[in-house]
Amino acid sequence: MQPRFWQPVAAVAMAVCAAAAARGSDLPEADATCLGCHSMEALARELPNGETLSLHVPPDVFARSVHAPFGCAGCHAHIDPAVHPGQASEIESLRQYSVLRAEACRMCHADAAEQHDGSLHAARVRE
């Protein structure tokens, strides 16, 4: 459960980011809102193990990517805009983040995921 103090903080952050996103974006409004904050190069999160996870997404790169038609929520459906950025996360390391985010890829890339599951790389990840 989210502490109540995050709700006003999240609302203010979303308003600031939405205002930034409104400036000259060709992306859908929801994606422009996300990228209003995630386009900031310095946006990052310190993880419990001391590593830094970059949260930066260049809007022009995203707009030209094969994933742009699915939008940010296509891969990040677990994010609730009503409480983001205050959502708690269980991410402990960059490796854990990478493994967890790869699970989202399976939704659309089942054949590649199945092939990967039988690989030496997947066996090492399971270890």
Side-chain angles (χ1 to χ4, degrees):
M1 176 174 230
Q2 293 295 321
R4 290 202 176 274
F5 70 90
W6 274 114
Q7 291 171 341
V9 171
V12 169
M14 290 297 289
V16 168
C17 292
R23 287 180 250 141
S25 175
D26 292 334
L27 294 167
E29 184 178 340
D31 294 338
T33 298
C34 295
L35 291 168
C37 293
H38 285 276
S39 66
M40 295 186 290
E41 289 185 34
L43 189 63
R45 178 173 171 206
E46 178 92 12
L47 300 176
N49 72 349
E51 295 175 315
T52 301
L53 174 63
S54 173
L55 302 172
H56 174 245
V57 178
D60 57 329
V61 173
F62 177 73
R64 291 189 316 266
S65 78
V66 67
H67 295 108
F70 305 106
C72 299
C75 295
H76 299 281
H78 62 289
I79 300 295
D80 180 357
V83 295
H84 185 70
Q87 284 178 297
S89 177
E90 305 289 326
I91 304 295
E92 297 288 327
S93 68
L94 291 175
R95 182 181 186 284
Q96 181 190 18
Y97 175 80
S98 180
V99 170
L100 288 173
R101 291 310 316 142
E103 288 301 310
C105 302
R106 292 177 175 277
M107 293 184 302
C108 298
H109 302 285
D111 291 345
E114 186 177 328
Q115 182 179 9
H116 176 264
D117 288 345
S119 73
L120 175 62
H121 294 282
R124 299 296 281 170
V125 168
R126 287 189 293 271
E127 290 175 9

